[in-house]
Amino acid sequence: GRSLLAQAYLLTGDRQESQDLVQESFLRAWRNWPRVSTLANQQAWLRRVLYNLAVNRWRSVSLRRSRDSRLSRVDGASPGPGVGHLDVMSALRTLPENQRKSLVLVAIVGLSPAEAARDMGANEDTVRVWVSRARARMKLLLGLDATSSASGASHDRR
């Protein structure tokens, strides 16, 4: 449950919405238990359902916002994210879907590239490339590139 909650939080940036997504994922597993119980990797199924639910919510929120620009969400149930968190969430949202999902699965959920590849229905080497590109893009977007370049340059001189 905790890794699903962490994944959901990174996808949504909202604690309450993350909890809702995890609950909905478990509810769908329960409703489909005869089928889910026969799967070799039930956690992968749950992660996929959670991801699909998050994407569907992004789409519906995006549609609502485009219809009504005055839509504003006030959520007093959970504290607002800090500036650093908003920067990370904003940077994550700019990544292509496969890069974003592979980065979350490998770097946050803690799956190996092979496990993430199975979850995503992709080749393990492809997932490694996606994660590498996502990390490089995130460093650039978050302004960490100059720091890592400087340390990399001194590392190359050794």
Side-chain angles (χ1 to χ4, degrees):
R2 285 183 189 225
S3 81
L4 278 178
L5 189 57
Q7 179 183 353
Y9 186 74
L10 284 168
L11 292 170
T12 65
D14 182 270
R15 187 177 64 188
Q16 184 64 43
E17 188 172 351
S18 301
Q19 291 169 343
D20 291 346
L21 286 173
V22 170
Q23 288 177 358
E24 180 65 25
S25 298
F26 279 116
L27 178 62
R28 289 183 183 204
W30 179 72
R31 285 181 181 157
N32 295 300
W33 188 247
R35 189 178 70 111
V36 174
S37 65
T38 64
L39 298 174
N41 192 343
Q42 296 159 354
Q43 287 181 338
W45 186 90
L46 279 168
R47 284 190 298 270
R48 182 66 177 169
V49 168
L50 179 103
Y51 183 78
N52 290 341
L53 288 169
V55 167
N56 288 341
R57 286 194 184 190
W58 287 337
R59 287 181 184 146
S60 68
V61 167
S62 179
L63 287 173
R64 272 187 270 146
R65 285 184 180 159
S66 67
R67 283 188 221 133
D68 183 7
S69 63
R70 295 172 300 160
L71 177 68
S72 66
R73 184 162 185 250
V74 178
D75 186 8
S78 63
V83 174
H85 180 266
L86 293 175
D87 291 342
V88 170
M89 294 304 297
S90 178
L92 270 173
R93 286 189 179 118
T94 67
L95 296 176
E97 182 179 336
N98 287 332
Q99 288 181 19
R100 180 177 55 240
K101 185 172 183 189
S102 62
L103 182 64
V104 168
L105 290 175
V106 172
I108 307 304
V109 175
L111 298 182
S112 71
E115 292 169 324
R118 280 192 299 272
D119 271 20
M120 297 176 72
N123 181 296
E124 180 179 350
D125 290 334
T126 302
V127 169
R128 288 181 195 277
V129 169
W130 287 337
V131 170
S132 176
R133 288 179 180 168
R135 284 181 171 151
R137 181 77 178 144
M138 291 291 288
K139 283 181 183 179
L140 182 66
L141 291 170
L142 296 172
L144 302 174
D145 198 40
T147 306
S148 63
S149 296
S151 66
S154 65
H155 205 64
D156 291 345
R157 289 186 216 137
R158 292 183 196 171

